[in-house]
Coordinates of all heavy atoms in Angstrom, one line a residue:
Chain A
C1219 N 98.4 129.9 125.9 CA 99.8 130.2 125.8 C 100.6 129.1 125.3 O 101.9 129.2 125.0 CB 100.3 130.7 127.2 SG 100.0 129.4 128.4
D1220 N 100.1 128.0 125.4 CA 100.9 126.9 125.0 C 100.7 126.7 123.4 O 99.6 126.7 122.9 CB 100.2 125.6 125.7 CG 101.0 124.3 125.2 OD1 101.8 124.5 124.3 OD2 100.8 123.3 125.9
P1221 N 101.8 126.6 122.8 CA 101.6 126.4 121.3 C 101.0 125.1 120.9 O 100.4 125.1 119.8 CB 103.2 126.3 120.8 CG 103.9 126.1 122.0 CD 103.2 126.6 123.3
L1222 N 100.9 124.2 121.7 CA 100.1 123.0 121.5 C 98.8 123.0 121.9 O 98.1 122.1 122.4 CB 100.9 121.7 121.9 CG 102.4 121.5 121.5 CD1 102.9 120.3 122.0 CD2 102.4 121.6 119.9
A1223 N 98.3 124.2 121.9 CA 96.9 124.4 122.5 C 96.0 123.4 121.9 O 96.1 123.0 120.7 CB 96.5 125.7 122.3
G1224 N 95.0 123.0 122.7 CA 94.2 122.2 122.1 C 93.7 121.3 123.3 O 93.7 121.6 124.4
R1225 N 93.2 120.1 122.8 CA 92.6 119.4 123.9 C 93.6 118.8 124.9 O 93.3 118.5 126.0 CB 91.9 118.1 123.1 CG 90.7 118.7 122.5 CD 90.1 117.6 121.7 NE 88.8 118.0 121.3 CZ 88.1 117.6 120.1 NH1 88.7 116.5 119.5 NH2 86.9 117.9 120.0
L1226 N 94.8 118.8 124.5 CA 95.9 118.2 125.4 C 96.0 119.2 126.5 O 96.2 118.7 127.7 CB 97.2 118.1 124.6 CG 97.2 117.0 123.5 CD1 98.5 117.1 122.6 CD2 97.0 115.7 124.1
V1227 N 95.8 120.3 126.2 CA 96.1 121.3 127.3 C 95.0 121.2 128.3 O 95.5 121.3 129.6 CB 96.0 122.7 126.7 CG1 96.2 123.8 127.6 CG2 97.1 122.9 125.6
R1228 N 93.9 120.8 128.1 CA 92.9 120.8 129.0 C 93.2 120.0 130.2 O 92.9 120.4 131.4 CB 91.6 120.1 128.6 CG 90.9 120.9 127.5 CD 89.6 120.2 127.5 NE 89.1 120.6 126.1 CZ 88.1 119.9 125.6 NH1 87.5 119.0 126.2 NH2 87.5 120.4 124.5
Q1229 N 94.0 119.0 130.1 CA 94.2 118.1 131.3 C 95.2 118.8 132.2 O 95.2 118.4 133.3 CB 94.8 116.7 130.7 CG 93.8 115.9 130.2 CD 94.4 114.6 129.6 OE1 95.4 114.7 129.0 NE2 93.6 113.6 129.8
S1230 N 96.0 119.6 131.7 CA 97.0 120.1 132.5 C 96.6 121.2 133.4 O 97.3 122.0 134.0 CB 98.1 120.7 131.6 OG 97.6 121.8 130.9
V1231 N 95.3 121.5 133.4 CA 94.8 122.5 134.1 C 94.0 122.1 135.3 O 93.5 121.1 135.3 CB 93.8 123.3 133.1 CG1 93.0 124.4 133.8 CG2 94.3 123.7 131.7
P1232 N 94.2 123.0 136.3 CA 93.5 122.6 137.6 C 92.0 122.2 137.4 O 91.4 123.0 136.6 CB 93.7 123.9 138.4 CG 94.8 124.7 137.9 CD 94.9 124.2 136.5
P1233 N 91.7 121.3 137.9 CA 90.3 120.8 137.5 C 89.2 121.7 138.0 O 88.1 121.8 137.4 CB 90.1 119.4 138.3 CG 91.3 119.3 139.1 CD 92.4 120.2 138.7
G1234 N 89.4 122.4 138.9 CA 88.3 123.2 139.5 C 87.9 124.3 138.3 O 86.6 124.4 138.0
Q1235 N 88.8 124.8 137.7 CA 88.4 125.8 136.8 C 87.7 125.1 135.6 O 86.9 125.7 135.1 CB 89.9 126.4 136.2 CG 90.4 127.3 137.2 CD 91.7 127.9 136.5 OE1 91.9 127.8 135.4 NE2 92.4 128.7 137.3
R1236 N 88.2 123.9 135.4 CA 87.5 123.3 134.2 C 86.1 122.9 134.4 O 85.2 123.0 133.7 CB 88.3 122.1 133.8 CG 88.1 121.8 132.4 CD 89.1 120.9 131.8 NE 90.4 120.8 132.4 CZ 91.0 119.7 132.8 NH1 90.3 118.7 132.8 NH2 92.1 119.8 133.4
A1237 N 85.9 122.5 135.7 CA 84.4 122.2 136.1 C 83.6 123.3 135.9 O 82.5 123.2 135.4 CB 84.5 121.7 137.6
I1238 N 84.1 124.5 136.2 CA 83.3 125.7 136.0 C 83.0 125.9 134.6 O 81.8 126.1 134.4 CB 84.1 126.9 136.6 CG1 84.1 126.7 138.1 CG2 83.4 128.1 136.3 CD1 85.3 127.6 138.8
R1239 N 84.0 125.7 133.9 CA 83.6 125.9 132.5 C 82.6 124.9 131.8 O 81.8 125.2 131.2 CB 85.0 125.8 131.7 CG 84.8 125.8 130.2 CD 86.2 125.9 129.6 NE 87.1 124.7 130.1 CZ 87.1 123.5 129.6 NH1 86.3 123.2 128.7 NH2 87.9 122.6 130.2
R1240 N 82.9 123.7 132.3 CA 82.1 122.7 131.7 C 80.7 122.9 132.0 O 79.8 122.5 131.3 CB 82.5 121.2 132.4 CG 83.7 120.7 131.5 CD 83.1 120.3 130.1 NE 84.3 119.8 129.3 CZ 84.2 119.6 128.1 NH1 83.1 120.1 127.4 NH2 85.3 119.2 127.4
R1241 N 80.4 123.3 133.2 CA 79.0 123.3 133.6 C 78.3 124.5 133.2 O 77.2 124.8 133.4 CB 79.0 123.3 135.2 CG 79.2 121.9 135.7 CD 79.5 121.8 137.0 NE 80.0 120.4 137.3 CZ 80.8 120.2 138.2 NH1 81.3 121.0 139.0 NH2 81.3 118.9 138.4
G1242 N 79.3 125.3 132.4 CA 78.7 126.4 131.6 C 78.2 127.6 132.6 O 77.4 128.4 132.0
K1243 N 78.6 127.6 133.7 CA 78.3 128.7 134.5 C 79.2 129.9 134.2 O 80.3 129.7 133.6 CB 78.4 128.4 136.0 CG 77.4 127.4 136.5 CD 77.7 127.0 137.9 CE 76.7 125.8 138.3 NZ 77.3 125.2 139.4
M1244 N 78.8 131.1 134.6 CA 79.8 132.2 134.4 C 80.9 132.0 135.4 O 80.8 131.7 136.5 CB 79.0 133.6 134.8 CG 78.1 133.9 133.7 SD 78.7 134.0 132.1 CE 79.7 135.4 132.3
P1245 N 82.1 132.3 134.7 CA 83.2 132.1 135.6 C 83.3 133.2 136.6 O 82.8 134.4 136.5 CB 84.4 132.2 134.7 CG 83.9 132.9 133.4 CD 82.4 132.6 133.6
P1246 N 84.1 133.0 137.8 CA 84.2 134.0 138.8 C 85.1 135.1 138.2 O 85.8 135.0 137.2 CB 85.0 133.4 140.0 CG 85.6 132.2 139.2 CD 84.6 131.7 138.2
A1247 N 84.9 136.3 138.8 CA 85.5 137.4 138.3 C 87.0 137.4 138.1 O 87.7 137.9 137.2 CB 85.1 138.7 139.1
T1248 N 87.6 136.9 139.1 CA 89.0 136.9 139.1 C 89.6 135.6 138.4 O 89.4 134.5 138.9 CB 89.7 137.1 140.4 OG1 89.2 135.8 141.2 CG2 89.5 138.4 141.1
G1249 N 90.4 135.8 137.4 CA 91.1 134.7 136.7 C 90.1 133.8 136.0 O 90.5 133.0 135.1
G1250 N 88.9 133.9 136.2 CA 88.0 133.1 135.6 C 87.9 133.3 134.0 O 88.0 132.4 133.1
G1251 N 87.9 134.5 133.7 CA 87.9 134.9 132.3 C 89.1 134.4 131.5 O 89.0 133.8 130.5

Side-chain angles (χ1 to χ4, degrees):
Chain A
C1219 56
D1220 183 347
L1222 305 181
R1225 289 172 162 160
L1226 293 174
V1227 177
R1228 285 195 204 166
Q1229 284 178 323
S1230 66
V1231 175
Q1235 292 183 5
R1236 207 162 332 127
I1238 290 160
R1239 172 175 52 84
R1240 272 295 174 196
R1241 284 163 197 151
K1243 292 176 188 160
M1244 286 307 285
T1248 55

